[in-house]
Amino acid sequence: MSFDGFVTRAVAHELENVLTGGKVVKVYQPSDTELLLHVRNRGRLHKLLLSAHPAYARVHLTENPTDNPSEPPMFCMLLRKHLEGGRVERIAQDGMERVLHIDIRSRDELGFETTRRLVAEIMGRHSNLILIDPDSGNVLDAIRRVGFGVSRHRQVYPGTGYTPPPPQNKKNPLEIGRDGFIASLDYNAGRLDKQMVERFSGLSPLLAKEILHRAPLGDREALWRTFSGFMAAAREHRYEPALFDTDGKQGYSVWPMTHTGGEIRRFESISECLDRFYFGKAERDRIRQQTQDLVRSLKSEIEKNVKKIHILKRELEEADKAEEYRVHGELLTSHLHLVKRGDTEARVINYYDPEGRELVIPLDPMLSPSENAQRFFKKYNKLKAAVKWNEEQIRKAEEDNAWLESVLVQLENASIRDLEEIREELEEEGWLKSQPRKQNRRKKDHPEPLSVRSSDGITIQIGRNNKQNDRLTHRLASPTDTWLHTKEIPGSHVVIRAREFPERTLLEAAMLAAWFSKARDSAQVPVDHTLVKHVKKPSGSRPGFVIYEKQRTLFVTPDPDMVRELLKRQPKG
């Protein structure tokens, strides 16, 4: 993948056509690296995503659902103050760099018209989103402040003058002619793709390799024609956005890449292409960062339980000797008259043996015959008690691991809002220490499952943690609704909220059950479905644990595109 200067150019062109003249009706900040601007233009609401994520920095229109914090961060509040109610005047790229300027005209506190510029710098781990006053050139604030201690050459802080990213002193590829292009390259030095990247701004290694791939080796004129063909398409904004997938390695470009091989999928717009490529990536990465310590702790507990189960089972194997001790004790008791203190062994007839063979019983010479017999009975009783205790501990450890595995799956599939409920459950179950929390007056009293609409317009609900699973299955669902869950695989409860529905709705619900499970990346995932009235929660069991009967099983392979379309059909509000 490569959000290069040409992708930036295509995005700028699309946004200029779609958003110019539109009104900014709402500003959100879903995370510490992302902004979401709702812009209404020509009777349609558009969602503009701007991300300064170190790995997934980008700008594009999106249709993917997002979770926004109940309390907006300070930068979001500042943007609302300056941008909401304003009109998008201009969207432009800075040369061929990965920098976008979005000018929005609004009114200040005194009612005077003013222009604010939102600058999106897409530069890997140095990416940033900066609000500036273009008249004064000063920074109003940034989603990522950069002080003198971070960079001596360029500070991004309220009140400082805005300094663009340092120039790379490369040539603009859209302005280069034949002679200049040929003279720019050293054909004897090799690695022409690398040379093109070093000499021309906005050109990524991916596009440079494609240009080289399409030109016959060593033919300078053919290389120029190929290069100039791409540049002409860029000048005229003739783009063919595409995703490519080669042996599991995915990427995107504004034109199909033929040198990568593999599957190519084309899109009508660059935003649609980027929206599909980044679907869920940044959110999962953000969740992973926030939960890595928790995940590590839970995995450690699972490993401890696995070792504990192994030790307990080994002790159970040793406990097989319990019956032998009981036989020794009873035979010795019935032959006490043949044994005296000081004997090291007793030879008795084993009447438990069908053939009545002689059995040699080892003795402690310091004990009396009766005491030796009692010693065997004590060993027998101790091992019998150990068997019961070990079996109970094995069962408990296996149940703990099954529950912990389900929590790990939920953490992987969780949204920011779900994390708090998962942490609360871990605290209630004693796996985490209780943490003081700020009281939020708008906090919901009950965990709310995710709701979507099937292609047939039927509501499907998904519990994304155990509290939501419990509430969905045992409180919200009706007895005649259909309940789904991956067969013997940790995952979410899914409920179709209807008595009757087409086969397509069942398949879509099964797809969601497979997607929100540990088997998300597997093929032919078994999904059980039955009526809610056949799903029971055993007394005293943990949240989310159920037993069910009269189920049928179908097999589905999770399809990210289908899931994405379903998740877009969430009810508003």
Side-chain angles (χ1 to χ4, degrees):
M1 67 181 182
S2 180
F3 201 102
D4 61 13
F6 289 88
V7 173
T8 308
R9 181 177 174 83
V11 168
H13 179 68
E14 179 179 316
L15 298 184
E16 181 78 11
N17 289 333
V18 174
L19 300 183
T20 301
K23 181 180 180 180
V24 179
V25 295
K26 201 66 180 176
V27 178
Y28 297 100
Q29 186 176 338
S31 72
D32 56 357
T33 61
E34 291 179 344
L35 293 176
L36 192 67
L37 272 60
H38 285 197
V39 181
R40 186 171 296 281
N41 197 24
R42 304 184 190 102
R44 183 179 175 186
L45 183 67
H46 305 275
K47 294 190 291 184
L48 175 61
L49 176 69
L50 303 99
S51 173
H53 191 284
Y56 305 120
R58 64 204 190 276
V59 178
H60 60 85
L61 298 172
T62 183
E63 294 185 8
N64 291 331
T66 56
D67 282 326
N68 300 302
S70 55
E71 296 183 6
M74 291 301 296
F75 185 56
C76 180
M77 295 295 289
L78 179 74
L79 292 176
R80 289 180 176 179
K81 172 184 174 183
H82 287 280
L83 304 185
E84 283 188 355
R87 295 281 178 179
V88 178
E89 278 196 327
R90 173 178 171 270
I91 299 176
Q93 181 184 17
D94 183 6
M96 282 300 292
E97 300 298 333
R98 293 172 295 168
V99 178
L100 277 177
H101 292 172
I102 303 175
D103 289 353
I104 299 174
R105 177 166 287 276
S106 59
R107 294 186 179 275
D108 61 19
E109 297 93 332
L110 300 177
F112 295 108
E113 282 196 346
T114 182
T115 298
R116 295 292 181 253
R117 176 170 294 161
L118 187 58
V119 181
E121 300 177 348
I122 313 300
M123 302 183 299
R125 61 189 181 92
H126 300 295
S127 298
N128 210 342
L129 304 174
I130 308 167
L131 183 68
I132 67 173
D133 178 357
D135 294 330
S136 66
N138 288 337
V139 172
L140 298 175
D141 208 345
I143 203 166
R144 182 178 292 156
R145 293 179 176 179
V146 181
F148 189 80
V150 177
S151 173
R152 294 184 179 182
H153 308 289
R154 182 173 181 253
Q155 286 76 54
V156 181
Y157 210 81
T160 61
Y162 174 72
T163 304
Q168 298 181 342
N169 299 319
K170 296 181 180 182
K171 299 176 181 179
N172 188 329
L174 302 182
E175 300 173 356
I176 198 78
R178 172 191 173 280
D179 294 341
F181 173 78
I182 292 177
S184 297
L185 304 177
D186 183 351
Y187 296 89
N188 295 318
R191 293 300 306 271
L192 294 179
D193 56 333
K194 184 178 180 181
Q195 290 187 50
M196 283 190 281
V197 172
E198 293 172 346
R199 286 159 175 71
F200 302 114
S201 63
L203 200 67
S204 65
L206 180 70
L207 183 54
K209 288 178 181 178
E210 181 66 18
I211 293 171
L212 203 60
H213 174 75
R214 295 193 185 189
L217 186 65
D219 190 334
R220 300 182 186 184
E221 291 296 332
L223 183 61
W224 158 246
R225 287 194 298 272
T226 304
F227 177 88
S228 62
F230 277 109
M231 297 309 109
R235 281 192 295 270
E236 299 165 11
H237 297 296
R238 292 185 282 108
Y239 306 112
E240 302 174 60
L243 297 180
F244 59 85
D245 190 332
T246 308
D247 299 327
K249 183 179 180 180
Q250 299 177 333
Y252 59 82
S253 180
V254 289
W255 297 291
M257 297 289 104
T258 60
H259 75 277
T260 59
E263 180 184 354
I264 295 178
R265 181 178 175 187
R266 300 170 189 263
F267 293 85
E268 292 295 322
S269 73
I270 185 63
S271 284
E272 185 183 355
C273 177
L274 294 171
D275 209 25
R276 173 61 190 85
F277 180 82
Y278 286 106
F279 172 56
K281 285 185 170 63
E283 174 124 351
R284 286 197 295 273
D285 182 77
R286 185 162 67 250
I287 295 296
R288 196 175 297 117
Q289 290 182 6
Q290 292 190 15
T291 61
Q292 56 185 353
D293 291 340
L294 179 57
V295 168
R296 191 182 303 114
S297 174
L298 296 183
K299 287 184 175 179
S300 175
E301 292 295 335
I302 290 174
E303 291 174 3
K304 289 178 183 177
N305 281 337
V306 169
K307 292 178 181 178
K308 178 180 179 181
I309 290 170
H310 176 72
I311 293 172
L312 291 172
K313 286 185 175 179
R314 192 169 59 195
E315 290 178 357
L316 280 180
E317 293 175 0
E318 295 176 358
D320 290 341
K321 295 182 179 178
E323 192 62 21
E324 177 183 333
Y325 290 138
R326 183 186 66 81
V327 170
H328 284 186
E330 291 188 356
L331 291 177
L332 190 58
T333 299
S334 60
H335 293 83
L336 288 178
H337 61 286
L338 300 177
V339 186
K340 62 181 184 298
R341 185 187 293 271
D343 288 346
T344 57
E345 61 180 33
R347 294 180 176 272
V348 300
I349 300 299
N350 185 2
Y351 47 76
Y352 290 101
D353 185 348
E355 299 181 5
R357 288 173 293 189
E358 186 179 66
L359 177 67
V360 178
I361 302 175
L363 301 177
D364 184 344
M366 302 300 295
L367 301 177
S368 68
S370 178
E371 289 171 339
N372 267 298
Q374 290 304 313
R375 181 170 65 94
F376 284 122
F377 286 129
K378 286 180 181 179
K379 285 184 177 181
Y380 165 74
N381 290 327
K382 183 178 180 180
L383 285 178
K384 288 295 289 183
V387 167
K388 184 178 180 181
W389 188 85
N390 281 21
E391 289 175 344
E392 177 65 23
Q393 290 302 306
I394 290 172
R395 183 190 62 77
K396 184 177 183 302
E398 289 175 341
E399 288 179 355
D400 284 347
N401 275 5
W403 181 76
L404 291 170
E405 288 281 2
S406 73
V407 174
L408 286 176
V409 172
Q410 291 159 9
L411 286 172
E412 184 177 342
N413 297 329
S415 68
I416 298 297
R417 290 183 177 181
D418 297 328
L419 284 183
E420 186 66 19
E421 291 174 3
I422 294 174
R423 289 185 183 277
E424 286 179 4
E425 181 184 357
L426 288 168
E427 290 175 6
E428 290 168 3
E429 293 294 324
W431 295 96
L432 285 181
K433 291 183 179 179
S434 297
Q435 299 292 329
R437 291 181 174 81
K438 293 180 180 179
Q439 293 296 325
N440 186 349
R441 288 177 299 176
R442 292 186 294 175
K443 183 177 177 180
K444 295 178 179 178
D445 294 330
H446 302 290
E448 291 299 327
L450 176 66
S451 293
V452 301
R453 292 271 182 183
S454 73
S455 299
D456 303 299
I458 295 172
T459 298
I460 300 173
Q461 291 187 290
I462 308 108
R464 290 187 291 181
N465 57 58
N466 286 324
K467 286 194 169 187
Q468 291 182 15
N469 286 338
D470 260 11
R471 177 165 166 76
L472 172 59
T473 302
H474 307 297
R475 293 285 185 269
L476 300 179
S478 299
T480 54
D481 289 345
T482 293
W483 181 90
L484 302 93
H485 194 282
T486 42
K487 183 181 180 67
E488 299 177 355
I489 300 171
S492 293
H493 294 196
V494 175
V495 173
I496 303 172
R497 301 300 305 276
R499 183 185 293 266
E500 297 180 355
F501 45 82
E503 184 73 15
R504 180 171 59 176
T505 291
L506 179 63
L507 290 174
E508 290 175 348
M511 184 75 69
L512 290 168
W515 181 263
F516 289 99
S517 78
K518 191 176 181 180
R520 168 180 290 192
D521 299 319
S522 303
Q524 293 298 301
V525 180
V527 178
D528 286 340
H529 61 95
T530 186
L531 296 181
V532 169
K533 64 183 179 181
H534 300 313
V535 182
K536 307 298 180 185
K537 181 178 179 65
S539 177
S541 61
R542 285 192 169 107
F545 181 80
V546 295
I547 55 176
Y548 55 92
E549 60 184 3
K550 298 184 180 180
Q551 70 273 17
R552 294 183 179 179
T553 305
L554 53 86
F555 294 83
V556 295
T557 298
D559 181 348
D561 290 331
M562 181 182 290
V563 172
R564 177 173 173 268
E565 288 303 313
L566 288 167
L567 294 181
K568 282 162 57 176
R569 300 192 199 122
Q570 296 182 29
K572 296 180 181 179

